Amino acid sequence: MFRTALRNVLAHKARLLMTVLAVVLGVAFVSGTLVFTDTLGSALRNQSAKSYDNVAVAVTTHADRRDEKAPGINAATLKKIQGLDGVATATGRVSGFAGVADPHGKLIGNGWSNTGANFFPGPNGKDASYTFVDGTGPAGDDRIALDKETAKKGEYKVGDRVRVATNGPVKEYTLSGVFTTEDGAVNAGGSLVLFDTPVAQQLYLRPGWFQDVTVTAAAGASDRKLLDAVEPLLPKYATAQTGKVLADKQAKQIETGLSSLNTMLLGFAGIALFVGIFLIANTFTMLVAQRTKELALLRAVGASRRQVKRSVLIEAAVVGVIASVIGFLLGIGLATGLRSAMSLIGGKIPAGPLVVSPTAVVASFGVGVLITVLAAWLPARRAAKIPPVAAMSSVHASATVKSLVLRNSIGAVLTLLGGAAIVGGAAMAGSAGQSVIGLGAFLTLIGVIVLIPLLSRPVIALIRPLLERLFGVSGKLASQNAVRNPRRTGATASALAIGLTLVTGISVLGVTLGQAIDRMTTDDVKADYMVSMASHDTLDKSALTALQKADGVSAISPQQEASLKVKGTFHPATAVTPGDVEKIFTLKTVSGSVDSLGNGEIAISEKAAKHYGWKTGDTLPVTYDDGKTDDLKVGAVFEDNGFLSQILISTKLAEPHEAHPYIPGVWLKMDGGTSQANEQALVDALGDNPAMSIMDRQDIRDMFGGTINLAMNIMYGLLAMALIIAVLGVVNTLAMSVFERQQEIGMLRAIGLDRRRVKRMIRLEAVVISLFGAVIGVALGMFLGWAIGKSLATSIPGYALVIPWDRIALFLLLAGLVGVLAALWPARSAAKLNMLTAIKTE
């Protein structure tokens, strides 16, 4: 039976090709994901371990210049650490944002990974963390050093003047040196600027203080003993760990961070393989049906049911192994390509070998072979049931009424349960509702897949008159062929239905969320411009002062974050400029007047007023961040605004309690609206600062909507794998259908159906099957998109369901095109059949 299985594989190479391709694509996705993440994880872990190679103890404080209670490690404490027995060096570190301008004034790097730090030379004048390839470390107020990549991008050489922006005004420095580093921010495509230590302290913390301390051990000293000696010298808010412990923690953090990427990519690989199951099952079902006489003869000469079943499963396993080998090798190539692609788009991956772990090998081959064998199990079971008497006929028995009733009953129950769960989850808010929707979606999808053969007859019957009217005999035959074997049609259409369910659901949800955010940016904002830091950090107060003096500014207000404790509960608040805030944001008052902010009163959102029972005229006891208390009167209740917190206070009221206010953005209204002249006025006011981002209203809309569009495009790209496999399924089904209908096609040719109409018949059959699956998928996708959106509605201001009819029409059009393209080869094969040879074929 093993030899028989191998002979069958070799005898049906062409018919098994599409099945091999489906498994190859799924396995390539799995192996490529595992190899890529293993390679990336290994490189990052090695880099992390290398950066802690000589670190005995690392002290961390997370100190911030805005936090007076945890100022960091002072110079006196650092000196005590340096004097401990066994300490070779103790280096103080301080860091923050620093952006470098290129020769055209544009920021080098991506903002969030643009870093500035201090150069801390030892007795030999060198800092062990940096290797200088040109010049020396910075010494003095007007000196800096740059990492090699940033210097190259900016075309800077030692001695050049470099414009550097921190959170304050942009300044010019002389480049004293260029260095190499293993700093993660630089490897992520950012930049690193080194300042003299007193300069960095002044910029990022306060004179004489450090955020972190790195301790190296003298020869023979124990890291653990050094840690025990260092800890008593530290303030309560500081944390000390050995370099090995810190490296291990970072390795675990890297592993955790990559696991989410791994899970997402493997999830899409799972979808692709799930779609592939239908193609594999369809292929083996048709092969078994075409070999009914052969299998029955095997039974007649003594083969048992178990042997017949085993031969089909062995055949599937051989196909799975071949496909897994090809898919695994393709996956390694895919991982290499992803690594190169990341380098091209600026994501520098640390050097390291390609890692092909045993897990990747076992997972890839296990998945490929297991999926193929599981998909072939039902066809193998049917093959084993073929009675020897069937050797008298080449026609396999059709499914019994009992089996069809059982199948349809199970499908109906699963669909109803899934639909009920989706509706119930939509009524719930938050992650709990989305989990219920996910379960319901799975049950509904399985239920519909089970029911698809039943649905195919009435749905295709609706379009039969149209096909006959438009395409005559070819249309009539195509519609009849599409429903001749409902199970085959259903299995083929199911693959397309799954892919389009996900694509349509993502489209409905993405467009709905995108338009809700777009309405928020247009309805809630009146400002012409928003100014923020490219690093998404706080703006310095000097930027606000400079913008207030800019030409053409008619209204300006910071979006300053604050916090008020009211009756024991902390509430987020936004500090704004009274009188100007109404010109910047849409503030529709429910009661009172927003002008009351100028009198030291507060305004609260309508939702907060209803939730806490507050109203205009109430006096609320509040506690500020600095611990001081006050009684504030509610001067207005306003309709919720997506850009403002539930409490509004004036900047004058917040100022005495915020030594270092957090200002993520400043909003401006300009005379004459948005224009090139007005934008240039803001650029000039800020001193042509490369770290400042100036966005007009369209930029603001693009910023908030761009994330959703990017996510949707990534999803479309990843789901393309499943849709490609679905297309292969249509091709395979038609090709094998043509093979088993050779005699019928020969008869049609003999009685006058010419080659052109034979081709049209096959093409129309493919289009009908594709559109049937597409319609099912689109309907389910819209249902799921509505449900998930409904569960998110409470957290999205102005939510309203949007059905993207243009995209849905495009999906249906593409499904029809898929049918036409999938039918090219089968239709050509059918048209080329010799009618006499075909008629004699059994």
Side-chain angles (χ1 to χ4, degrees):
M1 296 307 293
F2 181 72
R3 286 198 299 272
T4 301
L6 290 178
R7 179 182 61 80
N8 286 328
V9 170
L10 295 174
H12 303 116
K13 294 188 290 291
R15 279 179 270 173
L16 289 169
L17 177 62
M18 299 300 173
T19 300
V20 170
L21 283 175
V23 181
V24 163
L25 291 174
V27 171
F29 214 144
V30 171
S31 60
T33 296
L34 293 173
V35 171
F36 174 68
T37 52
D38 285 346
T39 300
L40 183 58
S42 174
L44 292 173
R45 282 191 296 272
N46 289 339
Q47 183 190 58
S48 174
K50 187 177 179 181
S51 63
Y52 289 107
D53 270 350
N54 299 316
V55 177
V57 177
V59 179
T60 309
T61 66
H62 302 291
D64 188 281
R65 66 187 303 176
R66 295 187 296 268
D67 190 353
E68 300 288 344
K69 298 177 182 178
I73 305 294
N74 59 28
T77 303
L78 177 61
K79 192 169 183 179
K80 289 178 183 178
I81 294 172
Q82 289 171 332
L84 292 173
D85 290 337
V87 171
T89 63
T91 305
R93 296 293 182 196
V94 61
S95 62
F97 170 77
V100 180
D102 66 14
H104 306 290
K106 302 297 183 182
L107 183 68
I108 297 175
N110 47 32
W112 60 268
S113 60
N114 291 347
T115 310
N118 67 305
F119 177 72
F120 195 98
N124 60 357
K126 296 181 179 180
D127 188 325
S129 296
Y130 310 105
T131 302
F132 279 81
V133 294
D134 193 13
T136 60
D141 293 351
D142 68 338
R143 300 275 172 168
I144 61 163
L146 291 177
D147 68 272
K148 185 178 178 181
E149 286 298 316
T150 302
K152 182 179 178 182
K153 291 174 185 176
E155 302 176 3
Y156 291 121
K157 297 177 181 178
V158 172
D160 287 349
R161 297 290 285 176
V162 182
R163 297 177 71 245
V164 179
T166 55
N167 284 5
V170 64
K171 293 182 180 179
E172 277 198 356
Y173 299 86
T174 298
L175 183 63
S176 66
V178 177
F179 59 88
T180 58
T181 177
E182 292 296 325
D183 186 272
V186 175
N187 283 323
S191 62
L192 179 59
V193 182
L194 293 183
F195 299 93
D196 194 13
T197 293
V199 176
Q201 289 174 327
Q202 183 68 42
L203 287 172
Y204 301 125
L205 201 56
R206 51 187 58 84
W209 292 81
F210 298 94
Q211 292 162 327
D212 307 315
V213 174
T214 302
V215 179
T216 60
S222 163
D223 292 357
R224 183 69 230 182
K225 288 182 178 178
L226 281 179
L227 177 65
D228 293 338
V230 167
E231 282 184 323
L233 303 177
L234 303 177
K236 292 181 180 179
Y237 50 80
T239 303
Q241 301 169 91
T242 63
K244 185 179 183 311
V245 169
L246 200 56
D248 291 343
K249 281 187 176 181
Q250 285 208 0
K252 286 182 180 178
Q253 288 172 356
I254 291 168
E255 190 174 335
T256 303
L258 289 174
S259 67
S260 57
L261 173 65
N262 223 2
T263 302
M264 183 186 75
L265 292 176
L266 289 176
F268 284 98
I271 292 169
L273 288 167
F274 184 56
V275 171
I277 286 174
F278 294 94
L279 170 54
I280 298 164
N282 225 10
T283 302
F284 279 95
T285 297
M286 295 172 75
L287 284 174
V288 167
Q290 291 168 13
R291 287 158 47 198
T292 298
K293 192 170 184 177
E294 175 192 332
L295 294 172
L297 283 170
L298 284 173
R299 292 292 315 283
V301 298
S304 66
R305 287 187 174 186
R306 182 177 297 176
Q307 285 177 309
V308 171
K309 182 179 178 180
R310 191 184 302 154
S311 73
V312 177
L313 292 178
I314 290 171
E315 192 175 334
V318 171
V319 170
V321 169
I322 294 170
S324 295
V325 171
I326 300 171
F328 181 71
L329 295 175
L330 190 62
I332 293 176
L334 182 64
T336 306
L338 279 173
R339 187 174 177 178
S340 300
M342 283 191 69
S343 299
L344 288 174
I345 62 175
K348 185 180 175 184
I349 297 177
L354 194 71
V355 178
V356 182
S357 66
T359 303
V361 178
V362 171
S364 301
F365 281 84
V367 164
V369 176
L370 187 64
I371 289 293
T372 311
V373 171
L374 284 177
W377 183 80
L378 275 176
R381 187 168 173 269
R382 292 194 197 106
K385 288 184 176 181
I386 297 174
V389 73
M392 302 296 178
S393 171
S394 62
V395 180
H396 190 25
S398 60
T400 64
V401 174
K402 180 181 177 182
S403 69
L404 290 175
V405 169
L406 179 62
R407 177 189 178 117
N408 294 335
S409 299
I410 292 172
V413 169
L414 289 174
T415 303
L416 289 172
L417 286 174
I422 291 172
V423 172
M428 301 166 63
S431 58
Q434 289 149 31
S435 300
V436 174
I437 291 171
L439 175 62
F442 178 75
L443 293 175
T444 303
L445 203 56
I446 298 296
V448 169
I449 288 168
V450 173
L451 282 175
I452 270 186
L454 177 67
L455 296 172
S456 63
R457 289 186 183 275
V459 172
I460 294 175
L462 290 173
I463 62 170
R464 182 179 297 171
L466 179 64
L467 289 173
E468 291 182 21
R469 192 177 300 115
L470 292 176
F471 303 103
V473 174
S474 297
K476 182 177 182 179
L477 289 171
S479 60
Q480 289 175 344
N481 290 334
V483 294
R484 176 186 294 182
N485 190 329
R487 287 191 177 189
R488 183 188 301 167
T489 298
T492 307
S494 293
L496 272 172
I498 293 168
L500 281 173
T501 294
L502 297 170
V503 169
T504 305
I506 289 168
S507 297
V508 171
L509 186 61
V511 171
T512 297
L513 294 180
Q515 291 203 14
I517 292 173
D518 193 55
R519 281 194 299 272
M520 187 174 73
T521 57
T522 52
D523 296 347
D524 291 353
V525 176
K526 296 178 182 178
D528 296 315
Y529 292 98
M530 183 182 79
V531 176
S532 61
M533 290 292 296
S535 61
H536 306 295
D537 199 355
T538 179
L539 284 164
D540 191 78
K541 288 177 69 175
S542 61
L544 177 60
T545 304
L547 288 169
Q548 287 170 336
K549 298 175 182 177
D551 293 336
V553 173
S554 59
I556 181 171
S557 177
Q559 189 183 7
Q560 181 177 325
E561 293 186 9
S563 177
L564 297 178
K565 189 176 182 181
V566 184
K567 297 180 180 179
T569 303
F570 282 100
H571 298 274
T574 304
V576 294
T577 304
D580 282 3
V581 67
E582 305 98 306
K583 302 173 186 176
I584 300 293
F585 299 103
T586 301
L587 285 175
K588 298 178 181 177
T589 52
V590 177
S591 62
S593 172
V594 180
D595 292 337
S596 60
L597 291 172
N599 301 325
E601 298 178 1
I602 63 173
I604 58 174
S605 68
E606 186 178 16
K607 187 183 291 184
K610 289 179 179 178
H611 183 76
Y612 296 104
W614 299 336
K615 60 182 182 297
T616 302
D618 286 353
T619 299
L620 305 178
V622 303
T623 303
Y624 296 100
D625 277 343
D626 59 0
K628 294 181 180 179
T629 60
D630 200 356
D631 292 323
L632 299 179
K633 183 180 178 181
V634 177
V637 174
F638 62 92
E639 291 183 11
D640 292 76
N641 184 298
F643 289 88
L644 300 173
S645 301
Q646 60 188 10
I647 298 178
L648 296 184
I649 61 175
S650 71
T651 50
K652 288 183 179 179
L653 193 62
E655 191 173 343
H657 310 285
E658 301 280 348
H660 300 284
Y662 186 79
I663 307 173
V666 173
W667 298 77
L668 304 103
K669 189 77 176 170
M670 306 289 287
D671 294 331
T674 56
S675 68
Q676 189 172 353
N678 279 339
E679 185 172 340
Q680 188 60 47
L682 299 180
V683 170
D684 293 341
L686 293 169
D688 197 14
N689 192 324
M692 299 287 184
S693 172
I694 301 173
M695 291 182 285
D696 61 22
R697 297 192 69 173
Q698 187 58 50
D699 293 332
I700 295 166
R701 292 172 68 182
D702 293 343
M703 178 184 70
F704 287 99
T707 304
I708 291 176
N709 292 331
L710 176 63
M712 286 175 64
N713 290 335
I714 291 172
M715 296 289 187
Y716 288 154
L718 293 172
L719 287 171
M721 184 77 72
L723 292 174
I724 290 171
I725 293 174
V727 172
L728 293 176
V730 178
V731 176
N732 212 31
T733 297
L734 289 172
M736 299 185 77
S737 177
V738 167
F739 178 83
E740 71 180 23
R741 284 156 42 196
Q742 287 186 68
Q743 191 175 57
E744 174 192 319
I745 292 170
M747 288 295 294
L748 289 171
R749 293 275 288 110
I751 62 175
L753 195 69
D754 59 24
R755 290 185 175 183
R756 181 173 57 84
R757 285 188 288 181
V758 168
K759 285 183 178 180
R760 184 185 298 165
M761 176 185 72
I762 301 298
R763 283 197 293 264
L764 288 174
E765 183 180 347
V767 170
V768 166
I769 293 172
S770 298
L771 285 176
F772 170 58
V775 168
I776 297 293
V778 164
L780 278 176
M782 287 194 292
F783 183 41
L784 286 176
W786 163 81
I788 297 172
K790 195 73 175 174
S791 70
L792 295 169
T794 54
S795 58
I796 302 172
Y799 172 86
L801 179 67
V802 179
I803 303 294
W805 295 111
D806 54 342
R807 297 194 188 195
I808 288 172
L810 179 62
F811 296 156
L812 294 174
L813 181 64
L814 289 175
L817 182 61
V818 161
V820 172
L821 294 175
L824 288 176
W825 173 44
R828 187 168 177 270
S829 300
K832 288 174 66 177
L833 284 174
N834 183 291
M835 66 181 75
L836 294 178
T837 305
I839 290 170
K840 291 189 295 181
T841 302
E842 294 187 11

